[in-house]
Amino acid sequence: MSHVPSLTKLAAKEVVSAAAAAGDDIELEGVTDPIRPDRVVVYMGVDTTASMEAVLSVAKKTAQSIIDKLQKLDMEVEFHIAAVNDYEPMSSSEQTPVKWDVDIDTMEAEGGGDEAEAYSTFLSQACDKAMHTSNDHVRYVIMLGDAY
């Protein structure tokens, strides 16, 4: 699993670089792009199934690094972090495989089983949330996990 940290670092670098590069307005025949690159919304899912136990700390550090770096860019940044489990939650206390606006520091790898991870549910929900975000924000959807 040594490839996982390098992949998560690459994702983090790409998101931060893209946000920083979006600093110039785009002009098309005298019309300025209404998106304000200094307003960013990030929807980030973190796989919290048991298989992530060995790499969850790396995923959490990566997520925190993205948050920290974007906040240092003097941007208005809004984060929505989701814990993503299997489609069929293994714990009776869980009512949905995707829990939004969780505290990243309290995430633990647990649950999961033979069912597929609910990445598509997260992506669908995140895209729906992004569609209802103000049109002047740059929006990013990020999923950190070990399944494909």
Side-chain angles (χ1 to χ4, degrees), residues 20-26 37:
D24 297 324
D25 285 344
I26 300 167

Side-chain angles (χ1 to χ4, degrees), residues 66-104:
I66 291 170
I67 291 167
D68 293 344
K69 288 179 181 178
L70 286 176
Q71 288 174 335
K72 287 180 184 176
L73 291 175
D74 195 30
M75 297 178 167
E76 179 184 312
V77 184
E78 183 180 326
F79 292 93
H80 299 279
I81 310 293
V84 182
N85 212 290
D86 284 353
Y87 281 109
E88 298 280 332
M90 300 303 290
S91 168
S92 60
S93 66
E94 294 183 53
Q95 296 183 4
T96 177
V98 179
K99 291 183 180 177
W100 282 96
D101 296 320
V102 298
D103 180 355
I104 197 165

Side-chain angles (χ1 to χ4, degrees), residues 6-104:
S6 63
L7 291 176
T8 55
K9 285 180 184 178
L10 177 62
K13 287 178 184 176
E14 288 299 316
V15 169
V16 172
S17 294
D24 297 324
D25 285 344
I26 300 167
E27 290 193 26
L28 181 62
E29 296 179 23
V31 178
T32 302
D33 186 351
I35 295 176
R36 293 199 40 202
D38 60 333
R39 293 184 178 174
V40 177
V41 180
V42 178
Y43 301 95
M44 185 180 304
V46 178
D47 182 341
T48 56
T49 58
S51 66
M52 285 289 288
E53 186 171 12
V55 294
L56 186 60
S57 63
V58 172
K60 288 164 64 171
K61 286 178 186 174
T62 299
Q64 192 60 55
S65 174
I66 291 170
I67 291 167
D68 293 344
K69 288 179 181 178
L70 286 176
Q71 288 174 335
K72 287 180 184 176
L73 291 175
D74 195 30
M75 297 178 167
E76 179 184 312
V77 184
E78 183 180 326
F79 292 93
H80 299 279
I81 310 293
V84 182
N85 212 290
D86 284 353
Y87 281 109
E88 298 280 332
M90 300 303 290
S91 168
S92 60
S93 66
E94 294 183 53
Q95 296 183 4
T96 177
V98 179
K99 291 183 180 177
W100 282 96
D101 296 320
V102 298
D103 180 355
I104 197 165

